[in-house]
Amino acid sequence: MATAQYRTLLEQIVHEGPWTVEETCRAFEARAQQMKESATLSPRQLARWMRGDVAQARAVAQRVAEAFWGHRFEVLLGSPHEALEFERYSGTAASGLSVDIESLEAAAVMAAHESFEHAARIAGTVDSDDISLLQESVLELARDYQTKPPLQLLTEARHIRNVAYLLLDKTRRPAQTSELYQVAGQACGLLSVVSFDLARWDAAEEQARSARTYAELIGDAHLEAWSRGTQALIANWRGQSRRAVELIASSVDAAPAGASTARIRAIEARAWAELGRPDQVKESLRLADIEMEQVQDSELYSATGGEFGWGQSRHSACAGTALLTVGQGESAVARIQDAIALVPEDPLGGLAPARAQVDLATAELLAGRLDASVDALESVWTIPAPSRRHGVTGRMEQLSRRLTGRDWRDSTEAVELRDQIEVFNAEAVSRLALPTA
């Protein structure tokens, strides 16, 4: 979206971010509390700031605004183009942002996207090279998923999907239509996971359903099983574990053998765990392990990997999460440690090590080893705030709740760890509103 239509940089940040105005105000106030500043922000006041209509802003509000959005206050109220030039040449960019490099790279990527979309819109026919480029782009995005902040992924996946839509309107060739439906489905699948990472549950569910619809249209059994499994995972995180089990039951028979079935069985185990059924967890994991023994590479879901991958590392980590949920701490530690150890041998397996590290910390705590729990989190603290996905922050919150239990409530170290987790998650909330690309 071109910046010229925005009156201020702040207006661009808010409109292109994932939050509503009301949600942005709440996050602003949470950041103020974290900073121990007495500052509030109403939707009406934010609307005036976004217009640049500010007669006098309190110094405390300006300080929080600069920390929250990562720019000087006068820059936030200036035009987006002027803000870029001002911060590039004055050297006043916020320390957390590298405006001179990252903004230029983002602008170059956005310009390329706009050119590609316009060319696709005006072209009289669909070029097979354009389809090939989209196919390569969506697979590359899947592979690079864990290395990019969620908001950047949102932008790139949406671009791929939109170009696929443009090309679908221009072709009636069955082969091209099938290829483009697959690209659109894969892009929607990635958008579903990004929405999940941003804790936007309704959006995540809708994107997963769309991905499944495209998969059904072209008979892509792998994508269909992946989408149904993602729906079940979303339902489980939303506290709808019974629905998650039903989604798996309705799709497991049609799923391809190997990684696709192993994945949905492992997700099923996590749903049964939330329902407090250790016997069913054991059976689902047994069936999942059997499927993993016969995994064969497929172009998207194994050989390409990334967010669509399901290798031994991710499989073991998911099993560990299920065991952790039903209170089997030692067994969970063993599976999660295996998962982390397997990462170097399983580069396409799709495991996000940070999530496994938080689960390991929780499992160690469940086993009564607070020191080991603290050690497991060592690498997690270094995750940049814009890259702290809900899969990490949600697990950190669960760990924090366990630290309030009877065994740890009087421990000074446990209290300090809870405080550290609170700050870690609060920073993630405040920075996820910023467009990083």
Side-chain angles (χ1 to χ4, degrees), residues 54-190:
V54 180
Q56 184 74 38
R58 295 169 58 212
V60 63
Q62 292 188 36
R63 287 197 300 273
V64 176
E66 290 175 351
F68 182 56
W69 282 298
H71 298 268
R72 291 183 58 177
F73 193 71
E74 60 266 34
V75 173
L76 287 167
L77 271 56
S79 75
H81 288 303
E82 290 175 357
L84 176 62
E85 294 300 316
F86 176 82
E87 292 195 327
R88 185 185 306 157
Y89 292 111
S90 68
T92 58
S95 60
L97 299 175
S98 180
V99 174
D100 55 342
I101 300 298
E102 292 182 7
S103 294
L104 288 174
E105 290 180 350
V109 171
M110 183 60 69
H113 288 350
E114 291 169 347
S115 298
F116 192 6
E117 289 182 22
H118 184 264
R121 189 175 296 110
I122 65 172
T125 60
V126 174
D127 192 322
S128 60
D129 288 342
D130 287 343
I131 296 178
S132 296
L133 179 58
L134 284 181
Q135 292 172 321
E136 293 169 5
S137 296
V138 75
L139 299 185
E140 182 178 1
L141 195 60
R143 284 193 297 269
D144 294 343
Y145 189 90
Q146 296 300 331
T147 67
K148 296 184 177 183
L151 294 177
Q152 181 180 350
L153 291 160
L154 186 68
T155 298
E156 295 188 18
R158 183 181 178 187
H159 160 69
I160 293 169
R161 183 204 61 186
N162 289 349
V163 174
Y165 287 166
L166 286 172
L167 297 181
L168 277 165
D169 288 339
K170 292 179 175 295
T171 185
R172 293 297 179 267
R173 295 181 181 179
Q176 289 186 336
T177 298
S178 180
E179 291 172 333
L180 289 168
Y181 275 139
Q182 185 183 57
V183 169
Q186 293 163 359
C188 286
L190 293 177

Side-chain angles (χ1 to χ4, degrees), residues 21 73-74 79-80 92 118 142 204 235 265 284 322 359 361 413 423:
V21 168
F73 193 71
E74 60 266 34
S79 75
T92 58
H118 184 264
R265 285 296 190 189
S284 294
D359 273 350
E413 190 174 16
V423 172

Side-chain angles (χ1 to χ4, degrees), residues 120-434:
R121 189 175 296 110
I122 65 172
T125 60
V126 174
D127 192 322
S128 60
D129 288 342
D130 287 343
I131 296 178
S132 296
L133 179 58
L134 284 181
Q135 292 172 321
E136 293 169 5
S137 296
V138 75
L139 299 185
E140 182 178 1
L141 195 60
R143 284 193 297 269
D144 294 343
Y145 189 90
Q146 296 300 331
T147 67
K148 296 184 177 183
L151 294 177
Q152 181 180 350
L153 291 160
L154 186 68
T155 298
E156 295 188 18
R158 183 181 178 187
H159 160 69
I160 293 169
R161 183 204 61 186
N162 289 349
V163 174
Y165 287 166
L166 286 172
L167 297 181
L168 277 165
D169 288 339
K170 292 179 175 295
T171 185
R172 293 297 179 267
R173 295 181 181 179
Q176 289 186 336
T177 298
S178 180
E179 291 172 333
L180 289 168
Y181 275 139
Q182 185 183 57
V183 169
Q186 293 163 359
C188 286
L190 293 177
L191 285 168
S192 174
V193 182
V194 174
S195 299
F196 173 94
D197 285 335
L198 295 170
R200 296 300 185 266
W201 306 116
D202 289 343
E205 168 68 19
E206 191 171 347
Q207 294 287 4
R209 285 201 310 269
S210 298
R212 194 186 81 213
T213 298
Y214 292 127
E216 290 172 345
L217 281 172
I218 60 175
D220 186 337
H222 288 285
L223 180 58
E224 185 177 350
W226 184 92
S227 302
R228 186 61 68 95
T230 300
Q231 283 185 273
L233 188 63
I234 294 166
N236 199 45
W237 271 90
R238 299 185 80 171
Q240 302 169 356
S241 300
R242 177 61 63 181
R243 178 170 177 264
V245 169
E246 292 170 353
L247 284 166
I248 296 299
S250 66
S251 59
V252 67
D253 290 341
S260 290
T261 299
R263 176 177 181 265
I264 59 178
R265 285 296 190 189
I267 293 171
E268 179 185 50
R270 288 172 62 172
W272 282 123
E274 292 291 344
L275 292 168
R277 296 287 301 277
D279 54 335
Q280 293 291 345
V281 171
K282 181 179 180 180
E283 177 62 12
S284 294
L285 290 181
R286 184 185 71 81
L287 294 172
D289 290 342
I290 290 173
E291 292 294 332
M292 282 304 289
E293 292 174 358
Q294 51 182 308
V295 165
Q296 295 180 355
D297 285 351
S298 64
E299 182 180 352
L300 179 61
Y301 301 95
S302 191
T304 297
E307 191 53 32
F308 291 122
W310 193 258
Q312 287 291 347
S313 60
R314 197 169 195 176
H315 181 76
S316 294
C318 193
T321 302
L323 294 168
L324 172 61
T325 304
V326 290
Q328 298 180 18
E330 295 293 357
S331 296
V333 167
R335 289 298 292 255
I336 298 168
Q337 286 179 336
D338 284 346
I340 295 170
L342 284 167
V343 170
E345 304 170 21
D346 189 24
L348 301 177
L351 176 64
R355 300 180 188 185
Q357 291 291 161
V358 181
D359 273 350
L360 178 60
T362 307
E364 293 284 13
L365 188 71
L366 185 61
R369 297 184 288 267
L370 179 57
D371 289 346
S373 179
V374 171
D375 291 343
L377 294 174
E378 183 177 354
S379 62
V380 178
W381 305 121
T382 64
I383 301 172
S387 297
R388 293 173 192 173
R389 296 168 161 84
H390 182 74
V392 171
T393 58
R395 283 172 164 84
M396 291 287 266
E397 185 176 346
Q398 292 170 355
L399 173 58
S400 182
R401 286 199 296 269
R402 287 184 181 270
L403 287 165
T404 64
R406 183 176 56 190
D407 293 339
W408 310 110
R409 66 179 58 164
D410 296 326
S411 166
T412 301
E413 190 174 16
V415 172
E416 292 175 351
L417 183 55
R418 288 204 311 272
D419 291 344
Q420 195 172 358
I421 290 172
E422 183 178 354
V423 172
F424 179 90
N425 282 1
E427 289 174 348
V429 168
S430 67
R431 292 304 298 275
L432 278 175
L434 289 171

